[in-house]
Amino acid sequence: MSLAQFTDFVKNITTENNNPASDSSGVGAQLQKALGDLQGSPEEKMAKVAQELSKLAKSKGFDVSEADVNTYIDSLKVQYDMNPMIASMADTYCSSSCHFASAISAS
């Protein structure tokens, strides 16, 4: 399993068109179907996100485990917490066009 493979997968799905998370077919539709009704504690939601993203990545030919997804998300959290410029860019991006944020509600 490979964190680099997950990074490649994320690049692939976020650049396949202008708005993959709300695309009516392909990866966008699969993400919405898999993650559209997340329920439970934040930990349970993250476990489900890792499971579904790993499954979707594997279906697209990427060798990605749930641990890879968790490592990727944890690294984003660290970057966000440690670097104010990254935090500002992430806040701006996610408030305007973040595809994962549109698929994973904060509630």
Side-chain angles (χ1 to χ4, degrees):
M1 306 297 167
S2 166
L3 183 56
Q5 286 275 310
F6 184 68
T7 302
D8 290 342
F9 169 69
V10 170
K11 287 178 187 174
N12 178 270
I13 66 171
T14 58
T15 58
E16 74 176 8
N17 64 34
N18 290 334
N19 200 6
S22 63
D23 186 10
S24 63
S25 63
V27 173
Q30 292 172 2
L31 280 173
Q32 285 182 333
K33 183 178 180 182
L35 302 176
D37 64 343
L38 288 176
Q39 297 181 15
S41 70
E43 293 81 15
E44 291 168 332
K45 288 180 181 181
M46 286 308 305
K48 177 73 171 175
V49 167
Q51 178 186 39
E52 293 299 329
L53 286 173
S54 173
K55 187 183 340 177
L56 182 56
K58 287 176 183 174
S59 76
K60 299 295 181 187
F62 295 89
D63 187 20
V64 174
S65 70
E66 291 176 36
D68 296 328
V69 176
N70 285 321
T71 299
Y72 180 84
I73 292 170
D74 288 343
S75 75
L76 292 177
K77 288 179 193 175
V78 168
Q79 291 176 57
Y80 184 89
D81 290 339
M82 299 294 292
N83 188 330
M85 184 163 50
I86 296 291
S88 176
M89 290 181 347
D91 289 345
T92 300
Y93 178 73
C94 285
S95 67
S96 61
S97 62
C98 182
H99 304 304
F100 285 151
S102 66
I104 305 166
S105 70
S107 57

